[in-house]
Structure formats: C-alpha cells, structure tokens
Amino acid sequence: MNPSSTDSADRDQAADGAASGLANFVVAANRLPVDRVTLPDDTVAWRTSPGGLVTALIPVMRAQQGAWVGWHGAPDETLEPFVEDGLQLVPVPLSTQELAEYYEGMSNATLWPLYHDGVAFPEFHREWWDSYVDVNQRFTKQIADIAAEGATVWVQDYQLQLVPSLLRALRPDLRIGFFNHIPFPPVELFNQLPWRDQILQGLLGADIVGFQTPAGAANFRQAVRLRLRYESKAGWIGLPDGRRALAKAYPISIDAAGFQALAQQPDVQQRAAEIRAELGNPRWIFLGIDRLDYTKGIKQRLRAFGELVAEGELDSDEVVFLQVATPSRERVEEYRLLRDEIDRLVGRINGDLGKIGVQPLTYLHSSYPREEMAAMYTAADIMVVTPLRDGMNLVAKEFIACRSNNDGALILSEFAGAAQELKQSYLINPYDINGMKARMLEAVNDSPKERTRRMRSMRKQVFTYDIDRWASDFLTDLGR
Ligand code: GDG
C-alpha cells in the first residue's frame, strides 16, 4: 500500500512529526485496536485485536508516524497515551453514563437501526444526542492535540460523524477523511433524525466522505442537496466556504491472502475435518456466522432451512445447519429480545424435526478464535448470509477467501453491500422466505462445476479488491 508516503517531502514531514511526538497520520475510531488482557502471572497487557482494519492500517501507521485515537474499553478510567507493538495509542475516556447515552443509546439504539432501513425502531432521546456531541468533541480535542501540522486524519464510522467539522474548525490545516462502515439511509428515513442537519454538516467537514456502496454515497448527496441545498457534480459537493467534499464509495474488504493462508494451515484443515465429523459427517453443512444482531436476518434463514427439512426437500439425515451467533451489545434491550426469540426458534425447529442424537440445527452463542472461524469456513458447503441490510458483510468475503479448492456456495442477501461485488453468489431477498428456500435448494442441486464457476469468479474479486486496496484507494484520493 502506498498512500503517498514515498516522496521526500512526506519523509521530511514524517521526521518532523517523529521529533515532536506528533503524528502525521491519525486514525480515530470508537475503539482502540487493542484489548486489555490479564496474563497468568496477573500482570496486565494489551493485545492487538486482529481485525482487518487494524491489519490494513498498521503499515501506514508505521510508515507515517501514526497514532490511533479511541476508547480503550473500560468506563470511568483515564489513561495516558501509550505505545503498543509499535503503535502510538491515544485512549479517550468515557464515563459509565456516556457509555449508556453516546454508545448504547445514540450510536446503537438510534443511528444503527435508522441507518439499517429502520428494521428495528430507532429511539430518539435528547440527552443521548447531548452526550454524542460531548464525546465527539472530546475525540476531536484528542485528535487536534496529537496531529502534526498538515497531518492526514481518517475518522471511522457512525459513532463519530461530528468529528470532521469540529476538527476542521480547530485545525483547518489537516486533511480529513471519513469512512462510514454501515449503510447511509435514503433521505426519507434519514429525515426522521431530529439532528439530521447537524450530522450532514458534521460529515461535510471531511475532504472525503467514504461509503460502502454507490447507493450510500448517492443517499448522502441527495440528503445534502435536499436539506442543505448544496449541489454536487461527479460526486463532489460544493460548500459555501469554497471547499469541496467528495462523497464516494470505497467498498471495504478483508486480508484475503491472510485468511487463505490461515485456512491452509494443517492444524486448521484438521480442525475442519473434526468439525465435519462432530456434526455427524453429513452430506451438506450449511453455515451462518454473525454478530447476534437483528440486521443479520438470522431468524429468516433458520425459518427457511427449517421449512425445507420439515417438507422433506432437504433430508434431515443429510443436512446440518451450523449457526454461530457472536454475543453483541447485550445491554441494549432489542438485542436481549432478539436472543430470546432465536433461542425459541432454534428450540422449536430442533424439537419438531430432531431425532435422538440428530438435530438439524447446531446453534452456538459464543465467539471463537480466528483459527476456529477459518476451520468452520473450510468445513462448510453452503455459507448463508442473509442480512436485511448490511454495510458490506465481511463474513461472506472471508468464506470465499478460505475456499482455495474453488468449491462451496455462497447464499447472499441482495441487501448486503457485498452483493454489489459478489454477483456470482446465489442472491436472495431475505424477506422472501419461499425465494430463499428455492435458492438454498438450487445451491445444493447445482452441479459441482457450476458452483466452482461461481466461486472462481468471486475469489478473483475478493483477492483483487482486498483490504490493502481499499485503504490505498481511499488514502490516495485523500492525498490528492
Ligand atoms: C460492520 C458492518 C461491515 C464474528 N464473530 C467472530 C468474529 N467475527 C468477525 C468476522 C468478521 C467480523 O467479525 C464481522 O464483520 P461483518 O462485516 O460481517 O459485520 P459487522 O460486525 O456488523 O461489521 C458491516 C463491517 O463493519 C466492516 O466495514 O462489513 O456491514 O455492519 O470479520 O470474522 N471473529 C472472531 N471470532 C468470532 O466469534 N475471531
């Protein structure tokens, strides 16, 4: 990846930054990319969280004297900036009340459902908004304090939508990028938000506002045009202060080569065989892996699968559905209700259709190491990804990266950002249960040759547009 880091002016600037302790490249995200762990001898250490974003940005951070600004994961605690694994980390403190209002409230119970087509009712509370403004201001101050003159700042995601304009007001010398990891809704929905104009103005502080899909970028430009009366041309929005901001799609991806290498490790391959055996060596393993979230369409897919088994379209002696639901946002009411609903649904399907020692659904409410995830992707035959709305969906891409034999089928919702790229998947509408059932059968009944043809083409896409390409496309545009 080469985000304009190689010419000598940039090197001089990096050297200046290093001398001053200031950063020439700053990433800001709700969370720092580290988790605190207690070691067996009771000492406390930080471990880098192995997400794709971190992996992609580490080389840029190292080349450019980078810093990462974010919350460290524990409330009511203020920590000094520290260096971990060569990364300069700047913790932003959050109080217990802010966690409830800015994070669980405004971010996860207002913006998250609203931006996902309102598939759950968004709640609007003025005190949540006030807290969101306060926390965005705190992030801004920390970034402004650490950023060197003329530095590049890349703000991540919907928790920090006010940071770009707050930061520009404090530090007009900076280059500011913003990337929204979730969808940006159509203006008819966005208009429900009492603070809609503040959010638009907040984002327009950036030089580039990045989205997962062209539709997200178009929704944003339309909201800006209708609400603020700023016109745009070829993605560029003209602003009253004479600046321009680019609203454009940069579809995020994964470390495809890294995932493939992980899946090819002998221990992972062996674990994949064990998983198949533990599931009773069925002819077909269907797999779902999601954070337990109402946007992911877990109920819909289980219902479709259960009906196929009940109707004898799929033979209960030949198929198993393995569904992993990683615990998520457990303090938010909607998520607790969803967990209960899925527990009931799984119990009913297995109760109705199971036999002694044979259950069509294996449901795991737990999280797993990456090696185990790669083993599951390898063990499966049919990956089922059915969100009602999803910014991108990296699970779909991870499955593809693990299929070096070019086998396996991906059933994918047309409402996931990934559907824009993975056109050779078995596309479904998750609201259409009969349609979904038909596609599941098609994936099973197609010839191996047809599945291979589809997988080859999807692998080409995922390996060409990987996470490095994503970051370099964005940062190259931002550097122009
Ligand atoms: C948001 C947007 C967008 C899951 N369980 C475990 C685990 N995971 C990993 C997966 C994958 C990631 O979490 C989930 O990413 P998704 O993209 O599927 O979904 P969100 O969490 O909703 O992510 C989404 C994404 O941001 C990036 O922009 O694609 O649309 O909603 O990487 O592998 N990882 C491990 N154990 C688990 O149990 N190790």
Side-chain angles (χ1 to χ4, degrees), residues 75 117 125 127 167 207 223 259 309 321 338 366 434 475:
D117 281 0
H125 296 292
E127 61 280 13
L167 189 57
D207 297 297
F259 248 97
V309 175
F321 201 120
L338 175 73
S366 195
N434 283 349
L475 292 173

Side-chain angles (χ1 to χ4, degrees), residues 112 116 179 181-182 212 252 259 289 291 296 324 326 366-370 373 377 390-395 398:
W112 178 269
H116 287 86
F179 184 75
H181 290 253
I182 67 173
Q212 298 278 26
I252 200 169
F259 248 97
I289 300 184
R291 271 188 312 98
K296 300 291 184 182
V324 174
T326 311
S366 195
S367 57
Y368 294 90
R370 271 161 54 87
M373 305 268 295
Y377 291 134
D390 213 332
M392 176 55 57
N393 197 290
L394 298 181
V395 163
E398 290 166 0

Side-chain angles (χ1 to χ4, degrees), residues 111-407:
L111 295 169
W112 178 269
L114 184 72
Y115 281 31
H116 287 86
D117 281 0
V119 298
F121 271 114
E123 285 184 53
F124 303 106
H125 296 292
R126 285 163 283 186
E127 61 280 13
W128 290 0
W129 169 253
D130 293 343
S131 177
Y132 186 85
V133 174
D134 288 349
V135 171
N136 273 252
Q137 277 166 343
R138 188 172 314 140
F139 268 82
T140 303
K141 167 104 186 31
Q142 298 276 35
I143 300 166
D145 286 350
I146 192 83
E149 177 76 21
T152 295
V153 178
W154 196 359
V155 182
Q156 308 288 326
D157 229 358
Y158 62 103
Q159 300 92 350
L160 301 179
Q161 293 176 100
L162 303 179
V163 168
S165 67
L166 292 169
L167 189 57
R168 182 159 303 279
L170 278 185
R171 292 288 306 272
D173 58 297
L174 301 176
R175 261 174 216 262
I176 306 172
F178 179 91
F179 184 75
N180 196 43
H181 290 253
I182 67 173
F184 194 88
V187 67
E188 293 82 354
L189 258 172
F190 183 71
N191 272 342
Q192 288 180 10
L193 194 63
W195 312 281
R196 53 209 179 174
D197 292 350
Q198 289 97 310
I199 294 272
L200 294 178
Q201 295 286 9
L203 291 170
L204 286 171
D207 297 297
I208 298 187
V209 190
F211 298 90
Q212 298 278 26
T213 62
N219 285 343
F220 175 70
R221 289 193 303 264
Q222 197 193 12
V224 165
R225 187 166 61 246
L226 293 176
R227 301 213 50 81
L228 306 179
R229 308 267 161 220
Y230 303 163
E231 293 303 325
S232 55
K233 205 171 163 194
W236 289 95
I237 301 167
L239 301 171
D241 62 2
R243 284 194 312 118
R244 294 189 309 163
L246 177 64
K248 185 178 158 187
Y250 298 87
I252 200 169
S253 192
I254 58 162
D255 174 12
F259 248 97
Q260 167 158 279
L262 183 64
Q264 284 175 337
Q265 283 177 21
D267 53 332
V268 172
Q269 289 284 327
Q270 191 192 334
R271 178 66 194 136
E274 273 169 29
I275 291 172
R276 284 200 81 93
E278 284 163 11
L279 290 170
N281 277 320
R283 176 141 178 237
W284 300 103
I285 296 177
F286 287 65
L287 174 66
I289 300 184
D290 313 78
R291 271 188 312 98
L292 183 52
D293 195 296
Y294 50 78
T295 59
K296 300 291 184 182
I298 301 172
K299 286 186 288 181
Q300 286 77 355
R301 91 180 60 137
L302 296 183
R303 202 171 294 140
F305 175 80
E307 287 186 17
L308 285 173
V309 175
E311 291 157 4
E313 298 276 5
L314 289 175
D315 182 345
S316 62
D317 291 328
E318 289 193 338
V319 294
V320 165
F321 201 120
L322 173 59
Q323 175 66 52
V324 174
T326 311
S328 181
R329 305 178 188 171
E330 293 175 290
R331 287 153 48 114
V332 180
E333 173 74 4
E334 267 311 307
Y335 288 77
R336 283 200 289 257
L337 294 174
L338 175 73
R339 183 176 175 196
D340 290 345
E341 281 182 67
I342 292 182
D343 282 352
R344 265 201 307 277
L345 182 62
V346 170
R348 192 161 68 223
I349 293 174
N350 277 338
D352 286 349
L353 305 172
K355 301 177 208 165
I356 290 177
V358 184
Q359 297 206 316
L361 283 178
T362 294
Y363 173 63
L364 306 170
H365 179 251
S366 195
S367 57
Y368 294 90
R370 271 161 54 87
E371 291 73 14
E372 183 74 359
M373 305 268 295
M376 289 191 261
Y377 291 134
T378 305
D381 301 292
I382 316 265
M383 184 81 213
V384 191
V385 179
T386 59
L388 305 175
R389 181 57 77 189
D390 213 332
M392 176 55 57
N393 197 290
L394 298 181
V395 163
K397 293 186 173 181
E398 290 166 0
F399 170 70
I400 291 169
C402 291
R403 309 305 296 200
S404 35
N405 293 340
N406 292 309
D407 60 356

Side-chain angles (χ1 to χ4, degrees), residues 29-48:
N30 175 61
R31 273 293 260 122
L32 283 177
V34 288
D35 290 313
R36 196 163 19 195
V37 288
T38 308
L39 301 174
D41 64 357
D42 275 349
T43 54
V44 171
W46 294 94
R47 186 172 297 152
T48 318

